[in-house]
Amino acid sequence: MKKKTLTCLGALALCVITMRGFGQTGTLNISGDSKTTISKHIYGQFAEHLGHGIYGGFWVDKSLPVKKQDRIRLDVVEALKKIKIPNLRWPGGCFADEYHWRDGIGPAAQRPRMVNTNWGGVTEDNSFGTHEFLELCSLLKCEPYVAGNVGSGTVDEMSKWIEYLNSNSTSTVVKERVKNGHPEPYKVSFWGVGNESWGCGGNMTPQFYADQFKRYASFAKDYPGAKLKKIASGPNADDYNWTEVCMKNIPAHMMYGLSLHYYTIPTGSWGKKGSATAFTEGEYFNTMVNCLKMEELVTKHSAIMDKYDPEKHVALVVDEWGVWTDPEPGTNPGFLYQQNSLRDALIAATTLNIFNNHSDRVKMAALAQTINVLQSLILTDKEKMVLTPTYYIFDMYKVHQDAKYLPIKLDAPDYEVDGKKIPAVNASASQDAAGKVHISLVNLDIHKPITITTGFSDIKWTNVSGQILTSANVTNINTFQDPDKIHLSNFTGAKKDGDKLVVTLPAKSVVTLELN
């Protein structure tokens, strides 16, 4: 009998995956002994000036027959408030390093226009700028995460933007904010110092970027009530040297976090990425192999960070993640519009389980992207709106926000396709302030149900309830014509057996349980 071990970072977290041939059973043990909190900011979102993410997504034409505040679409706002998104990253992405914030303030009719050279070559009219973004965050009741321009900007430009946002002085730039309708400072704390500085943000070397970060960060000042959480532009996927250089050369006290970007590409190739809706079981399996690589990336980058920051003061901020497929046929390829299937929901749940299990180092993340771009939570078409399967994962998993992380040990069968194997089940668990325990389980096997028997250490419970997301096929999607094909349902496949919990996970499903 072969065994493979998957290490979940954290002194108390260990997931052991054991092959059981054709067996469809496994065990899960959960400990209540933990001092780690799963930060709510792991459940963050990303909104870039890209395709119809901002324009036609959050920010719509005045004539569109939907409820709006100014031009902010309110049915979108209400949907995102329901899942309690904790932060929203803006204005990019690659767009951030060509964005000059002064172009997006003042009377809309007087704002200059530009060409969005990164995404589709379309005209950007700057009608959605700083004030509009912060009004959106206010409506969403989430924290803004602003990505500053290091690639084509200046230290003074970023410094003045922070002053404009956060200062309560009587300086010229603050008077300008007051003139533009906001007398009180916004007090924005999360601040990205550049984006993908190894690529579209300037094609820098890690040493050059580390020096740039220190220079920009030195002039990014704290103002009363707004201590900055500065996030350095971190590595692309498995560029471990980038992490090494940044952690070695940037003092831990200067940065809140180091970012990591990794996308699940179904084919593993940036050329032909694969379809969002038409794929074989072999292609599905390969996509899950690529999704599970996030475990390796987080583990190895965290180990490097531990060398220089053993007290874990610096967060690993995975502020771009998700599945990236070929765009939908007939759409502008520069708009990155793709459909969202049950497969994508399984990817989201698996990735969030990884983040939860590494919550001692992963303190913040952002799915790419919120609306109409890549692995969206929401798709819109004029007045129509549909919630994607990925949206429902965030709805299920919101119970883990700011809850106590519970270490797990999982022993379950493999999922095998064409002689290759991956763990069929992944999981994470937490305990909220009221003492309720929540367990999220994913069965990646598209054919077999799997029964998991769970034991507990230092945890007492009496009742269990749950929710499930599944569908007949992993290629199933929600459409404007059939918006509820995939939706949450009550789950009745869990029961108490003595002091054990026995749960049968249907094939290709995500289940979140609540134990009282």
Side-chain angles (χ1 to χ4, degrees), residues 154 204 263 350 424 434 485 498:
T154 66
M204 302 177 193
Y263 287 94
T350 297
K485 189 176 189 69

Side-chain angles (χ1 to χ4, degrees), residues 227-240:
K227 183 174 177 57
L228 295 187
K229 297 174 180 176
K230 304 165 193 174
I231 298 169
S233 178
N236 177 27
D238 58 0
D239 185 352
Y240 300 115

